[in-house]
Amino acid sequence: MYNSKIIGLGHYVPDHVVTNNDLSKLMETSDEWIQERTGIKERRWVKEGDGDTTATMGVKAAKIAIERAGIDKDDIDFIVFATLSPDMYFPGPGVQVQHALNIKTVGAIDIRNQCSGFVYGISVADNFIKTGMYKNVLVIGSELHSHGLDKTTRGRGVSVIFGDGAGAAVLSREENTSKGILSTHLHSQGEHAEELVVKAPGMGTRWVTDIISENNPDDESYFPYMNGQFVFKNAVVRFSEVIMEGLMNNNLEVNDIDMLIPHQANLRIAQFIQRKFKLEDHQVFNNIQKYGNTTAASIPIALTEAWEQGRINEGDTVVLAAFGSGFTWGSVIIKW
Ligand code: UT7
């Protein structure tokens, strides 16, 4: 048995900054409302014509992560891609990365766990490495939300929150099993699947031919729906639970956390967790103020920035935690 460890990190966000005031020109909202409820000041949205997609942003983040890992692209044994906003209905973007990076014909898997996607992806990669099946696994989280949001007042409860971007990590074999990824913890509760959902296109209840022929501008099923307060209440409970589960599994305590990287869903959720666990500011990393909620990309973007700023050092106990649509949630406990 081996452990896995993160040996390279990278992120990419589109250049185009969209401020809260920009949004107030599109819908009835205000900088004050958005900042007070979410902490978000601005987000990046792909600009028409820039050519960024979920796959291309993922590739850009991956190139940086691979370079920093100090390995060659052909050393990658497997690709894991987490997103809820793939370029195509199928195939998923994992294979687009294999092609764009011109990596030999290694396996590529797509993860559909929304805000928990990167945590699920890390768990998949970690377990492939632990068993010895693969040595180096590329894990990407990338989202292009801005093409799929209802940018009218009807959609304001959701559209002001989400941003575009990508993050990536290269995981590699670690022979010292007291280092690297110590454990991963995954959960789901499908009874709440429709509390945060994009229903279409889906083959479950409607024929694609009907959807096309209806061409109904009032059809909201293509836009994200979120029961915000219900999601918020569940998030704070599940974040706390799954962080504690991870710590206890490794005989660690809250005080042992050197860096908590929560999924950037809402600054108020992260602050609630910080207060509950009595963590100091230097023990928690947030960047939702700049990027909004980038779903599967939020943890790898935040992890990369925290590392770039020298806030994660060798020997640190780093905790990743996510909660979102599904509901799905999870945590990763790392000895850096
Ligand atoms: O990442 C996946 C997991 N996601 C989350 O964890 C998100 C969890 N939920 C949240 O972060 C919050 O529930 C939101 C930020 C989404 C919403 O905040 P809230 O405090 O729960 O607001 P609300 O939905 O209860 O809406 C309060 C009021 C409503 O008006 P009335 O009915 O009180 O007159 C909304 O219509 O605010 C109104 N509103 C807005 N006003 C201005 C909703 N969105 C906006 C907006 N600008 N963008």
Side-chain angles (χ1 to χ4, degrees):
M1 284 286 280
Y2 305 102
N3 265 11
S4 71
K5 71 172 172 199
I6 294 173
I7 62 165
L9 286 165
H11 76 85
Y12 171 82
V13 290
D15 291 335
H16 181 49
V17 175
V18 178
T19 64
N20 294 342
N21 284 330
D22 292 334
L23 293 185
S24 66
K25 290 170 198 143
L26 301 174
M27 62 189 84
E28 283 172 35
T29 191
S30 66
D31 179 48
E32 191 191 2
W33 190 97
I34 300 170
Q35 284 212 49
E36 190 186 309
R37 307 280 174 136
T38 70
I40 299 167
K41 295 182 178 182
E42 59 189 40
R43 74 285 297 135
R44 305 297 178 98
W45 279 358
V46 167
K47 203 171 178 182
E48 207 61 46
D50 276 1
D52 278 328
T53 70
T54 293
T56 65
M57 290 192 290
V59 166
K60 287 175 183 170
K63 280 184 178 163
I64 299 167
I66 293 168
E67 194 190 329
R68 286 175 173 170
I71 63 170
D72 187 79
K73 64 173 176 61
D74 284 321
D75 297 325
I76 300 287
D77 300 312
F78 194 65
I79 299 162
V80 181
F81 202 121
T83 189
L84 62 68
S85 49
D87 293 6
M88 299 178 277
Y89 188 77
F90 74 81
V95 298
Q96 292 173 275
V97 172
Q98 179 274 328
H99 177 60
L101 291 179
N102 194 21
I103 296 176
K104 57 188 188 304
T105 58
V106 299
I109 193 173
D110 299 288
I111 301 266
R112 293 288 310 269
N113 288 84
Q114 299 70 246
C115 301
S116 315
F118 188 76
V119 163
Y120 269 71
I122 289 283
S123 184
V124 168
D126 176 52
N127 282 288
F128 272 132
I129 292 171
K130 275 198 166 79
T131 60
M133 183 158 169
Y134 297 128
K135 192 167 173 222
N136 299 309
V137 180
L138 173 63
V139 184
I140 299 170
S142 179
E143 304 287 1
L144 201 167
H145 280 298
S146 59
H147 284 186
L149 299 171
D150 178 355
K151 294 171 188 154
T152 68
T153 299
R154 181 179 70 175
R156 66 182 178 174
V158 173
S159 54
V160 301
I161 298 170
F162 292 103
D164 302 337
V170 176
L171 273 66
S172 188
R173 182 183 293 171
E174 165 63 59
E175 308 220 342
N176 178 349
T177 53
S178 61
K179 284 176 74 178
I181 294 181
L182 302 181
S183 62
T184 60
H185 306 269
L186 307 178
H187 294 278
S188 71
Q189 191 178 14
E191 71 178 290
H192 300 315
E194 295 192 14
E195 302 293 350
L196 176 44
V197 65
V198 176
K199 288 199 175 168
M203 303 304 162
T205 51
R206 296 164 78 194
W207 292 75
V208 164
T209 42
D210 288 345
I211 294 170
I212 293 166
S213 64
E214 280 164 15
N215 191 21
N216 175 5
D218 295 327
D219 181 359
E220 294 178 43
S221 58
Y222 286 89
F223 293 126
Y225 163 79
M226 176 164 69
N227 183 350
Q229 293 198 0
F230 186 76
V231 176
F232 194 109
K233 283 178 194 151
N234 278 266
V236 291
V237 172
R238 297 309 192 183
F239 265 111
S240 307
E241 275 178 14
V242 82
I243 292 168
M244 284 314 296
E245 179 186 347
L247 292 173
M248 284 166 70
N249 188 264
N250 293 286
N251 295 318
L252 294 168
E253 292 176 4
V254 170
N255 289 341
D256 294 317
I257 298 176
D258 294 300
M259 179 53 76
L260 169 66
I261 312 262
H263 161 53
Q264 302 291 290
N266 182 325
L267 190 61
R268 307 296 163 235
I269 295 177
Q271 288 169 334
F272 180 93
I273 304 300
Q274 177 173 350
R275 273 198 306 276
K276 184 168 178 189
F277 288 159
K278 299 190 173 60
L279 296 171
E280 305 284 336
D281 285 350
H282 67 86
Q283 292 171 286
V284 186
F285 190 87
N286 290 303
N287 59 8
I288 190 170
Q289 302 90 328
K290 292 189 293 179
Y291 302 131
N293 178 344
T294 57
T295 315
S298 91
I299 289 183
I301 293 174
L303 186 60
T304 303
E305 286 201 336
W307 176 81
E308 286 170 346
Q309 292 170 21
R311 292 185 56 184
I312 298 177
N313 295 295
E314 187 151 1
D316 281 357
T317 298
V318 178
V319 177
L320 315 180
F323 174 88
S325 161
F327 292 150
T328 60
W329 62 101
S331 63
V332 179
I333 311 293
I334 308 171
K335 192 65 156 174
W336 205 263

